[in-house]
Amino acid sequence: VQRIIVKKLTPIIIWIIAPLMAQGQTLLENYTSSDTSGLGADFHGFIRGIIYTGMTPEPRKMEAKSLYGEAALQMQASFRSWGKGVAELRFRKGSAFGSDMDMLQLREGFVEIYAGRFEFAFGQQIIVWGKADGINPTNQITPQDALIRSPDPDDSRMGNILFRTRYQMANAASLEALWIPHYEPSILPWQFAALPEGTMFSEGPYPDTKLENSALAVKFAWQLPSFDGSLSYNNGYGLNPGITADVPGPLEPPPAVTEIYTKAYRQQIIGMDFSTTIGATGLRGEAAYRITKKDQRDRLEVPNPDLYYVVGLDRFFGPVHIIAQYIGRYVFDFAELIPPTDSLDMMRYALENGNRLFHMQQVEWSHSTSLRVAMDLMHETMTAEVFGMGNFSTDEYVVIPKFSYRISDGLRFSLGLEYYSGVQNTLYDIIEDHFNSVFMEFKAMF
């Protein structure tokens, strides 16, 4: 076993230390522990209060669905041309979806080292891949928290412990490689789904921190004066886990309570993205081909292979910025899910239906569009924005209008609405009573 581990780790170790050895002599000649003249530190952050309020399902009455105060401190220490340290701490206290919330979180905390054309970073990091607006099929590196209620969509991004190395080539191209030794799943709104009678729900267990459970990802990118693009590959566990249960066989007695639990699955992602301009109009696109193991597709939590793609246009018309996108998904080996006639098969049917909702594989071909319109008003002290998206294949829609007013430098007030709507047996149908809200934010930035 030790020989196998050493054999697998050797390429990773060589990738890490080879350029450092090449630069080592220069570093030793120029570095002295007493020389801190190149040290620079920067501190900034924000303090804010947020409330999301809406109607309860039954009985219908107003409630605060999410209510909290939050403080964030973002720090960066630069060490001349050798590297930097980056950290972001957040403390949040309040309530969300009827539960108390008291959380101290290290959102990011990593060190980056420069060695010639190489960059190395290790620690808690948030990695975002893709060029589309908000919907990024290739972004399968670090997880997201779908339960975070915030006017800023980036707040849903979560970090993970990973090692990142990047090599900048001389011809405006770069090669980036990631090793992710620890699996961290996205947080999904499982608790809002109705459970079959006689069941209970739990999350995990998830893959432990063994070498064979780690993920690897590489991206080759190039930047030209009029065209940016990249090709990527990711091999690891899917960020969105599925649900399964230990369903008894036909001759086995049913348990008093069946436990439904989340489970991760292995996948590969082959991706590409690009951005360019056609006159005054920007053109962006992104696509990801997901491959799951053929011998595991009979497992309930494992999705079918699919092709997920986005193409969009964006343009400024004076103070107005418009981004329009088409979003599509094709599911390979798709088969209609037919309700069973035998009650013994109802559990399996419910689990498979739930997985299709959360993996967005309810139909073979899925067609959606999104539109974002933003406008600066009152000498750029106010911003009005509306985002809308509709999936015409599943009849699901979301509209999010938002207004922000800059009271003074660093002090901002925001007001908006989130409205989700879906026909029966869709994801938006499950979450709409819990997520439909009016929100308000006061934010002080320093």
Side-chain angles (χ1 to χ4, degrees), residues 138-301:
T138 63
N139 189 34
Q140 296 285 328
I141 305 300
T142 51
Q144 298 189 54
D145 186 348
L147 298 182
I148 288 293
R149 312 304 305 279
S150 171
D152 185 355
D154 283 341
D155 287 334
S156 66
R157 302 190 187 279
M158 301 167 59
N160 197 4
I161 299 291
L162 58 89
F163 177 84
R164 173 173 55 88
T165 182
R166 183 174 180 271
Y167 177 68
Q168 181 64 48
M169 303 177 187
N171 56 354
S174 64
L175 181 63
E176 184 177 4
L178 305 172
W179 175 47
I180 309 168
H182 172 68
Y183 175 70
E184 190 72 36
S186 291
I187 298 175
L188 304 177
W190 297 110
Q191 69 264 41
F192 303 134
L195 294 177
E197 187 176 351
T199 62
M200 61 177 293
F201 177 78
S202 63
E203 294 202 37
Y206 293 120
D208 54 17
T209 309
K210 294 181 179 178
L211 183 61
E212 60 265 28
N213 293 331
S214 62
L216 295 172
V218 293
K219 181 171 75 168
F220 174 72
W222 61 95
Q223 293 182 331
L224 302 175
S226 59
F227 186 89
D228 294 348
S230 74
L231 298 173
S232 60
Y233 172 76
N234 180 6
N235 188 331
Y237 283 94
L239 297 179
N240 293 348
I243 52 173
T244 189
D246 298 323
V247 180
L251 301 180
E252 297 176 330
V257 177
T258 300
E259 182 183 9
I260 297 174
Y261 56 93
T262 56
K263 190 172 182 180
Y265 53 87
R266 198 86 188 186
Q267 66 178 17
Q268 300 177 71
I269 301 288
I270 301 173
M272 61 80 65
D273 62 38
F274 72 91
S275 64
T276 186
T277 56
I278 303 174
T281 302
L283 173 63
R284 295 184 280 183
E286 202 172 326
Y289 173 43
R290 171 165 54 183
I291 305 169
T292 53
K293 292 184 178 181
K294 195 172 282 188
D295 59 348
Q296 294 183 358
R297 290 177 199 162
D298 59 339
R299 288 168 34 186
L300 293 173
E301 75 276 6

Side-chain angles (χ1 to χ4, degrees), residues 35-81:
D35 181 10
T36 59
S37 60
L39 175 63
D42 178 48
F43 296 86
H44 58 280
F46 62 81
I47 302 169
R48 65 178 178 175
I50 289 179
I51 182 171
Y52 278 74
T53 183
M55 300 294 294
T56 59
E58 291 293 339
R60 304 292 289 178
K61 62 179 182 179
M62 292 293 291
E63 71 168 357
K65 297 178 180 291
S66 188
L67 172 69
Y68 63 90
E70 184 178 43
L73 178 61
Q74 298 155 338
M75 301 161 281
Q76 179 171 307
S78 300
F79 301 90
R80 295 191 297 180
S81 59

Side-chain angles (χ1 to χ4, degrees), residues 16 42-43 120 179 341 343 396:
I16 294 172
D42 178 48
F43 296 86
F120 304 93
W179 175 47
T341 56
S343 61
E396 294 176 276

